[in-house]
Amino acid sequence: MAFHYAAMPSSSSSSLSGVSSQPPLHLPRLRSPHQASRRLSALPFSRALPLPLRLRLRIPRPQLPPLPLAFSHGGGGDNDGDDNNNNGGGDGEGDGGAPDNRREALFVLAQLGRKLESLPYDLAAAVEGGRVTGEIVRRFAEMEGSALLRWLLQFQGFRERLLADDLFLAKLAMECGVGVIAKTAAEYEKRRENFVKEIDIVIADVVMAIVADFMLVYLPAPTVSLQPPLATNAGHIANFFHNCPDNAFQIALAGRSYSILQRLGAILRNGAKLFTVGTSASLIGTGVTNALIKARKAVDKELDDEVEDIPVLSTSVAYGVYMAVSSNLRYQILAGVIEQRMLEPLLHNHKLLLSALCFAVRTGNTFLGSLLWVDYARWVGVQKVQEEA
C-alpha cells in the first residue's frame, strides 16, 4: 500500500497559553488499490520482475528416467485385429508403434548391459527401425545361454523362427521323429519279408521323407521378420510378397499388422515353395529308388516281375501339388491357429504340457496326411489299387 503523510490541524495548541507551538504531526493515510496501482505503473521497472540469469541457471530441472513400455502379449494388443486398416495390403508396417518399440528394446538392452552393436546386424537394424519389441531382445539374450541355440541363432532363418517360437526346435524334432517312425512303418508294411533285402531303398525313401517333413515345419512356421525393406525400385509384386507373413494365421507383433490380402499372399508364397520342395524331393527319391531297383534287377533276374518301376515325373509333380495344397494348409493352420493362438496362450507357463500336446497334435496331423496322400495318389493315378484275387 502507498502511504501519504499529511499535516493534521491541532486545536489544542491555540487554546493553550504559554506553550510553544510544536511542528505538525504527520500520520500515514491509506490510499485505494486503484491509486496504488496507478502509482506503481509509473515506476521505471516492471511489476513482474524476472529472476536474474545467473540465478536461473542455478535452478536444476528434474530428470525423470525413461520407463519401459508394456509389451502386449497375445492377440489383443498386437494390431492383429486391424488387418483391414493397413491400406488394403500395402507394406504391412505400422509406424505408430515404431518409436515405442525402439525405446523399449533399447531399455531392455541397457538392463542387460549390452550395446546395440553386440546384436546380429539384422536384429540390430530391426531394433533401430522399431520393428521388434523389447521382449524379442530379451528372448534372444536368454537363448544365447544355450550352446546349441547360440549356434542356430547365427542363421537368419532359424533366428527369425526361434525368436517367434521358443519351442520351434522341439516341434521340428517332433515332426522329423514322427515322420521317420511313420515312414519306416509304412515301408515295412509294404515290403514285409523283403524289408531287410531292400533296406537301401527304404533308407532312400526315409531320407526324402525327413527332408519333406523338415520343410513342412520350417516354411509355414511363424517368424519375427528381420529382413530389411526392399529397394525403392523393386516391383509391386516383389514388394507385396516381401511384406507377407510366413504364416497366414500368425499373430503380428506390436506396431505391425497384416491385411487379409497379405495373409492370402502368405499361403500362395508358401505353396509355391512347398511345390518346389515336394517336386524336387520326390524327383530325387523316386530317381534313387528306380536306380536301386534297376541295379537289383540286373543282379537278380527274378525281380523283373515282382518289382515295378515308379513313374518319376508324374509322381513328383503330383507330390509337389499335394504339398502345395494339402500340406501347406494343414501345417499353416496347425502352427498359426492351433499352436500359437490356442495352445500357447492357454499353456504359456506350462512348457512340458504344451510340448506334449503339440506332439500329439502333430502326430495326428502326420497320420491324417498319410491317409490323404494315399487317396490323392490313387485319385490322380500315380498309385494303383491292388485288386484282391
Side-chain angles (χ1 to χ4, degrees), residues 59-107:
I59 301 177
R61 293 186 177 182
Q63 299 291 334
L64 298 179
L67 296 177
L69 298 176
F71 173 72
S72 55
H73 297 274
D78 58 359
N79 294 338
D80 187 57
D82 300 330
D83 289 341
N84 297 327
N85 299 332
N86 194 29
N87 300 328
D91 58 359
E93 189 76 26
D95 295 334
D100 295 342
N101 290 344
R102 180 180 181 275
R103 191 180 304 114
E104 179 189 356
L106 292 177
F107 183 86

Side-chain angles (χ1 to χ4, degrees), residues 203-213 280-286 319:
I203 292 176
D205 291 344
V206 171
V207 170
M208 289 301 102
I210 292 175
V211 173
D213 290 338
S280 302
S282 183
L283 279 173
I284 297 174
T286 54
Y319 189 62

Side-chain angles (χ1 to χ4, degrees), residues 81-156:
D82 300 330
D83 289 341
N84 297 327
N85 299 332
N86 194 29
N87 300 328
D91 58 359
E93 189 76 26
D95 295 334
D100 295 342
N101 290 344
R102 180 180 181 275
R103 191 180 304 114
E104 179 189 356
L106 292 177
F107 183 86
V108 172
L109 276 176
Q111 282 185 325
L112 297 173
R114 300 184 57 170
K115 295 183 179 180
L116 188 63
E117 294 77 12
S118 65
L119 301 178
Y121 69 96
D122 54 351
L123 182 57
V127 170
E128 190 66 28
R131 291 184 284 117
V132 296
T133 60
E135 183 68 19
I136 300 300
V137 177
R138 191 183 304 276
R139 181 177 296 176
F140 176 82
E142 292 174 353
M143 288 183 176
E144 281 190 321
S146 169
L148 176 60
L149 294 180
R150 183 168 60 250
W151 178 72
L152 290 175
L153 287 172
Q154 297 176 1
F155 307 98
Q156 183 179 10

Side-chain angles (χ1 to χ4, degrees), residues 111-274:
Q111 282 185 325
L112 297 173
R114 300 184 57 170
K115 295 183 179 180
L116 188 63
E117 294 77 12
S118 65
L119 301 178
Y121 69 96
D122 54 351
L123 182 57
V127 170
E128 190 66 28
R131 291 184 284 117
V132 296
T133 60
E135 183 68 19
I136 300 300
V137 177
R138 191 183 304 276
R139 181 177 296 176
F140 176 82
E142 292 174 353
M143 288 183 176
E144 281 190 321
S146 169
L148 176 60
L149 294 180
R150 183 168 60 250
W151 178 72
L152 290 175
L153 287 172
Q154 297 176 1
F155 307 98
Q156 183 179 10
F158 277 98
R159 185 160 55 242
E160 291 181 337
R161 286 159 176 80
L162 286 171
L163 291 178
D165 183 7
D166 52 356
L167 291 179
F168 169 74
L169 196 61
K171 295 174 183 177
L172 191 62
M174 293 175 196
E175 193 70 34
C176 292
V178 171
V180 169
I181 295 174
K183 184 64 177 177
T184 304
E187 291 288 337
Y188 179 78
E189 182 67 24
K190 179 181 178 180
R191 305 178 191 278
R192 290 290 181 175
E193 64 275 0
N194 295 326
F195 182 82
V196 178
K197 295 180 181 180
E198 301 173 356
I199 190 63
D200 49 353
I201 301 177
V202 173
I203 292 176
D205 291 344
V206 171
V207 170
M208 289 301 102
I210 292 175
V211 173
D213 290 338
F214 177 87
M215 299 307 295
L216 281 173
V217 179
Y218 184 86
L219 290 179
T223 61
V224 173
S225 180
L226 302 177
Q227 299 179 0
L230 291 179
T232 55
N233 57 353
H236 293 289
I237 297 179
N239 189 56
F240 169 75
F241 282 107
H242 176 79
N243 291 290
C244 291
D246 286 281
N247 187 287
F249 307 100
Q250 75 175 63
I251 297 175
L253 293 177
R256 187 177 180 90
S257 62
Y258 299 111
S259 67
I260 296 179
L261 192 61
Q262 285 176 318
R263 295 186 180 276
L264 292 176
I267 297 178
L268 294 177
R269 185 182 62 185
N270 279 344
K273 292 180 180 179
L274 288 175

Side-chain angles (χ1 to χ4, degrees), residues 334-356:
L334 173 63
V337 178
I338 298 177
E339 290 180 342
Q340 191 180 47
R341 292 183 178 270
M342 297 173 60
L343 297 180
E344 170 66 23
L346 185 63
L347 302 171
H348 179 72
N349 297 323
H350 303 82
K351 295 295 184 181
L352 186 60
L353 181 57
L354 177 61
S355 300

Side-chain angles (χ1 to χ4, degrees), residues 32-46:
S32 65
H34 176 70
Q35 292 174 332
S37 175
R38 188 169 53 186
R39 294 289 298 272
L40 285 175
S41 62
L43 296 177
F45 53 86
S46 174

